[in-house]
Amino acid sequence: MSPQADGSAEYVGVEQCASCHQQAFDDWQKSHHDLAMKTPDAETVVGNFDNATFDYFGTESAFYQRDGKYFVRTDNTEGELQEFPIAYTFGVYPLQQYLIEMPGGRLQALSLSWDSRTKEEGGQRWFHLYPDEDIKPGDPLHWTGINQNWNFQCADCHSTNLHKNYDATSQTFATQWSEINVGCESCHGPGRKHVEWAGLPEAERASVKDQGFDVRFDGRRQARWTMDANTGIADIANAVGTQTEIPVCAQCHSRRGTQHPGVKPDDDFLDFFQPALLSGGLYHADGQINDEVYVWGSFMQSKMHAAGVTCSNCHNPHSLELRAKGNDVCAQCHLPTKFDTVEHHFHPTGSEGAQCVNCHMTDKVYMQVDARRDHSFRVPRPDLSEKIGSPNACIACHTDQSNTWAAQVLEKKFGAPDPHYGEALFAGRIGAPDAESRLLKLIMDDTQPEIVRATAVSLLPRYLSQTSAQVLQVIAQGDDALLHLGLAQSLDQVPQQVRPALAIPLLYEDERVTASLAASAMAGAPLGQYPEEVRKRYEQGLADVVATAEFNGDRPESLVNLASLRGREGDAASAERLLKQAVALAPYYTPAVINLADLYRANGREADSEGLLRNAMANAFDKAPIQHTLGLNLVRQKKMSEAVEMLQVSAHADSATPRYVYVYGIALNSQGRPKEAIKELEKGLERFPGDRQILSALASIHHEQGNDAAAQKYQQQLQ
């Protein structure tokens, strides 16, 4: 069925709100929230539908109107040209996308988008989101594919009170909303009780909590900022309630997975969402944005957040516009006579280099035209760039200079830079010899941002020792919600015999997502020895794991997670069924294939495993994990020449992990080729400095070959 309004009486709609809150309504109209999603008409469509055409790798799509409606003729699921009516507009600036209604209640986002910037900026044109790749039907990135599905990917942040309503049996959606776009009640909660409050006699209104709303945002207006003349930076007083809006904004403005439906503004963020921490691929090691992460994770790192600043200090919460232009928005709290000077920023007044955001909020372009700024408000650190490869604002502009040059300029002016958490996170990512000690020091430093320390917690299980295990146990029993999440997300890296000591305290946490991750990590463990209350909380957490997987049953990741749970519970038949569903739903999704192959292996079905892996190779975008798994399969079948070939290809892949290199080296050595093994392992150590398995293999093979000095060198590094 088509997405439609749910008719909820709790939600009264923006027109009802406007009857009393005219200024807020006027600000909201034509805002990005208002235009998040609309039915197409002459006012909402900004793209050229005047018989325009666009060629994408030989496929010519056309955009036109007929009888007041908007159409596109483009490639369908079979690669043939087909006419589709535009169902909805999606966003407005700097690009506008268009949604197409497909069978099964699906809305799909066209990858052909309109660049709504001015011509002077390079806009007013059709463009493709993946201009350098020939994305064909069947690819998950094709507009008809699973990764362009509105119901899962986009809907709950572009509409008010969204209900996905996926039915796994029929594999269809019956998605509903209260309002098609992001209205007042997305942030304030359902308005019926507030309207009832407004209709009460004045004497009775005081008895109604928060004027009938789920949440109030007046804390920011009650706070007082006072400029410190010495530092040139304002300090906050009466800060109670100023941070209320941040988790509400984070429900959409964060990189997160929705674990449970039905969130309201006053709900605990970690009861409904699992946010990403500062993980590789999403963030550089120093916390700068890399992939699309949508503000929250960046802002949580910032000194501004620590000082009490909140979103609406800089943005009008209804229009979303900045509260001032240029450097004036920063001047609200940063004295211009101290900071908006040539002496501070080194650039001529009024130049691009003199704009605060260009040094402290560098941007990155996503979706080809959308430049989004990093909200961590950081000081440029070219010295870090030299050490850990993170970008910096200086060299982004001064491309003819080096990081060393920039670092020297800044040090001469401002003195030696402070230590930075990026070095510890980088060490944890690459497996540096001192990774454990660096991570422990960062975790114990409560002056650092909580999201940074949580990320360090998530890395620490890779380097588990008696000391780090004790620290993790203290964290599990502590009060820091994000640190709990970081631990819960990494429990699968903790040995089974240690997990209960870390997971059981997390079962008692108020945050529903954290408790469910802890329960999932304990699945299959014998619980008879534990008190009834522990078993009860475990069962509740496990029920939430299943509920999350079923809610997101339209995604292969969820099917794999549920299959893993069933497998650990000993239900191999259910695990196999779920994994086969995942492979059928998304043949490209490598974890589903590998888990199914491993299930076959565990049941002695090596031939079935081999056949599955070979067939999956054609659909995989990153073949290395499948090649590695197939190599191990062939080893077990004693097909050694083929096995070594597969292990070599996986170890040499750009996406190789240290494990792939280690296994390939061991395989070469077992074939009587120790010199080749040492050569490959040493090359691997250059890629993955300090990796313990590679170091251990090098020490062992050198010892076997009588190279005691070399063996001792690697053994010392290992220790």
Side-chain angles (χ1 to χ4, degrees):
M1 63 182 288
S2 302
Q4 57 185 288
D6 67 350
S8 170
E10 294 298 306
Y11 285 79
V12 299
V14 294
E15 297 296 336
Q16 176 72 63
C17 302
S19 64
C20 292
H21 303 281
Q22 190 63 47
Q23 183 59 58
F25 176 76
D26 290 345
D27 287 347
W28 171 81
Q29 282 196 304
K30 307 301 181 185
S31 70
H32 284 257
H33 280 173
D34 177 22
L35 301 176
M37 187 167 167
K38 291 282 191 178
T39 53
D41 58 36
E43 186 176 352
T44 60
V45 173
V46 299
N48 179 7
F49 280 81
D50 189 16
N51 296 315
T53 60
F54 183 84
D55 183 86
Y56 178 71
F57 287 95
T59 298
E60 185 171 85
S61 299
F63 304 86
Y64 50 92
Q65 301 179 53
R66 188 173 64 243
D67 300 328
K69 296 183 179 180
Y70 295 80
F71 297 87
V72 61
R73 182 179 291 109
T74 192
D75 55 334
N76 60 18
T77 55
E78 305 301 320
E80 300 172 348
L81 290 177
Q82 180 179 341
E83 178 182 271
F84 298 96
I86 301 298
Y88 301 97
T89 64
F90 205 60
V92 65
Y93 185 88
L95 71 158
Q96 185 172 72
Q97 289 186 270
Y98 301 94
L99 301 180
I100 306 298
E101 191 171 336
M102 300 291 276
R106 287 171 169 78
L107 288 180
Q108 298 290 132
L110 274 177
S111 297
L112 294 169
S113 304
W114 179 254
D115 184 345
S116 48
R117 300 174 301 165
T118 65
K119 282 189 176 181
E120 291 73 21
E121 295 173 297
Q124 299 302 296
R125 63 188 176 97
W126 289 103
F127 72 100
H128 198 284
L129 293 176
Y130 308 100
D132 302 322
E133 307 172 64
D134 185 6
I135 305 294
K136 296 183 179 298
D139 190 304
L141 292 177
H142 189 263
W143 77 268
T144 60
I146 189 172
N147 286 349
Q148 305 298 345
N149 173 244
W150 166 87
N151 308 73
F152 172 82
Q153 296 281 19
C154 326
D156 62 347
C157 284
H158 278 254
S159 299
T160 301
N161 189 33
L162 194 286
H163 310 282
K164 183 171 69 171
N165 294 339
Y166 176 71
D167 181 72
T169 302
S170 62
Q171 295 187 347
T172 60
F173 296 91
T175 305
Q176 295 176 299
W177 53 58
S178 291
E179 288 188 281
I180 191 174
N181 52 7
V182 181
C184 312
E185 292 161 295
S186 284
C187 303
H188 293 279
R192 180 181 63 82
K193 291 181 180 178
H194 177 69
V195 172
E196 292 175 353
W197 167 86
L200 291 173
E202 189 169 347
E204 296 181 28
R205 291 183 183 177
S207 64
V208 179
K209 182 183 177 183
D210 292 334
Q211 300 178 359
F213 274 131
D214 289 339
V215 64
R216 295 283 297 276
F217 299 112
D218 49 4
R220 178 188 58 79
R221 294 195 298 271
Q222 296 171 9
R224 295 293 177 264
W225 291 87
T226 304
M227 185 64 69
D228 185 325
N230 292 323
T231 65
I233 301 174
D235 294 320
I236 193 172
N238 193 27
V240 177
T242 59
Q243 304 293 292
T244 303
E245 67 193 46
I246 291 177
V248 178
C249 298
Q251 291 180 9
C252 287
H253 294 275
S254 65
R255 181 70 176 253
R256 85 292 184 276
T258 304
Q259 306 298 96
H260 302 287
V263 66
K264 299 291 190 299
D266 65 328
D267 288 323
D268 190 308
F269 182 53
L270 296 182
D271 277 349
F272 290 82
F273 303 100
Q274 182 178 174
L277 300 177
L278 310 182
S279 54
L282 299 181
Y283 296 86
H284 294 285
D286 67 343
Q288 291 187 73
I289 60 174
N290 189 18
D291 205 341
E292 296 181 272
V293 289
Y294 311 108
V295 177
W296 175 81
S298 301
F299 187 64
M300 293 295 286
Q301 301 173 58
S302 71
K303 290 184 177 180
M304 291 177 67
H305 171 256
V309 174
T310 191
C311 312
S312 61
N313 285 125
C314 300
H315 297 271
N316 179 317
H318 299 115
S319 70
L320 309 182
E321 298 293 332
L322 288 171
R323 292 195 176 276
K325 293 183 179 180
N327 288 352
D328 288 345
V329 70
C330 304
Q332 295 179 112
C333 295
H334 298 271
L335 200 62
T337 55
K338 187 175 181 68
F339 294 103
D340 197 359
T341 65
V342 174
E343 185 181 32
H344 177 75
H345 53 57
F346 304 150
H347 296 84
T349 301
S351 68
E352 284 296 304
Q355 296 299 304
C356 307
V357 294
N358 288 337
C359 290
H360 299 292
M361 295 182 71
T362 54
D363 63 15
K364 184 171 181 178
V365 175
Y366 302 99
M367 302 182 79
Q368 304 303 320
V369 301
D370 192 359
R372 303 180 196 168
R373 292 203 176 271
D374 190 322
H375 280 65
S376 55
F377 303 98
R378 62 185 59 242
V379 173
R381 290 293 298 266
D383 61 304
L384 278 183
S385 301
E386 197 67 19
K387 294 176 183 177
I388 66 176
S390 55
N392 70 82
C394 306
I395 300 306
C397 288
H398 297 277
T399 55
D400 59 333
Q401 297 288 358
S402 67
N403 291 320
T404 301
W405 166 83
Q408 289 172 346
V409 170
L410 293 179
E411 184 169 349
K412 183 178 180 180
K413 175 63 180 176
F414 299 108
D418 294 329
H420 195 277
Y421 54 76
E423 295 181 68
L425 297 184
F426 181 72
R429 286 185 182 185
I430 68 168
D434 59 349
E436 181 185 10
S437 61
R438 282 177 174 267
L439 292 171
L440 284 170
K441 184 177 180 181
L442 177 56
I443 291 166
M444 302 304 290
D445 183 359
D446 61 9
T447 66
Q448 297 293 339
E450 189 178 7
I451 192 171
V452 171
R453 297 171 62 214
T455 303
V457 168
S458 72
L459 292 168
L460 191 58
R462 303 181 189 181
Y463 311 99
L464 202 64
S465 67
Q466 184 174 356
T467 299
S468 56
Q470 290 173 343
V471 169
L472 291 176
Q473 191 164 18
V474 170
I475 289 167
Q477 296 171 349
D479 298 320
D480 298 303
L482 280 184
L483 270 62
H484 291 156
L485 179 67
L487 176 56
Q489 289 180 346
S490 60
L491 282 172
D492 60 343
Q493 301 177 50
V494 175
Q496 288 281 0
Q497 65 270 26
V498 181
R499 281 189 202 179
L502 303 178
I504 288 175
L506 298 181
L507 295 176
Y508 285 77
E509 290 308 311
D510 294 332
E511 294 78 25
R512 188 178 177 188
V513 169
T514 298
S516 67
L517 289 171
S520 179
M522 291 181 63
L527 296 175
Q529 60 183 312
Y530 296 111
E532 182 180 353
E533 180 64 20
V534 171
R535 296 197 299 271
K536 179 180 177 182
R537 289 180 179 273
Y538 166 77
E539 293 295 341
Q540 179 57 57
L542 216 56
D544 281 339
V545 173
V546 174
T548 294
E550 292 177 345
F551 169 64
N552 289 318
D554 52 318
R555 297 293 301 183
E557 303 93 332
S558 292
L559 295 172
V560 169
N561 289 340
L562 188 55
S564 175
L565 175 65
R566 296 307 183 212
R568 282 177 283 146
E569 291 176 333
D571 188 352
S574 292
E576 181 175 352
R577 174 180 55 79
L578 288 162
L579 289 170
K580 285 181 175 179
Q581 286 180 17
V583 172
L585 179 64
Y588 66 88
Y589 187 62
T590 301
V593 174
I594 291 176
N595 283 15
L596 183 54
D598 193 55
L599 184 65
Y600 288 157
R601 175 201 59 76
N603 288 280
R605 298 163 60 184
E606 293 287 9
D608 289 340
S609 179
E610 179 183 353
L612 171 70
L613 292 165
R614 291 192 184 279
N615 289 335
M617 206 83 73
N619 296 308
F621 297 104
D622 179 8
K623 294 180 171 48
I626 293 180
Q627 290 162 337
H628 175 75
T629 307
L630 179 56
L632 294 175
N633 169 274
L634 294 169
V635 167
R636 291 190 295 271
Q637 295 189 72
K638 304 191 185 309
K639 302 176 182 179
M640 291 307 299
S641 60
E642 289 182 85
V644 171
E645 181 181 340
M646 279 293 167
L647 294 175
Q648 178 191 45
V649 174
S650 65
H652 288 177
D654 290 340
S655 61
T657 68
R659 176 72 178 174
Y660 297 177
V661 175
Y662 166 77
V663 170
Y664 177 46
I666 295 297
L668 286 172
N669 189 54
S670 69
Q671 289 295 100
R673 299 156 66 180
K675 290 183 179 180
E676 293 177 65
I678 289 171
K679 182 179 178 181
E680 291 292 340
L681 290 166
E682 287 178 340
K683 287 196 302 184
L685 197 60
E686 292 176 7
R687 292 179 66 184
F688 308 105
D691 182 77
R692 296 186 179 206
Q693 283 192 316
I694 296 176
L695 285 169
S696 178
L698 282 167
S700 177
I701 295 172
H702 273 296
H703 178 72
E704 291 172 2
Q705 297 302 306
N707 304 327
D708 291 337
Q712 187 175 6
K713 180 185 74 170
Y714 290 117
Q715 189 63 40
Q716 287 175 341
Q717 290 184 43
L718 186 62
Q719 293 173 348

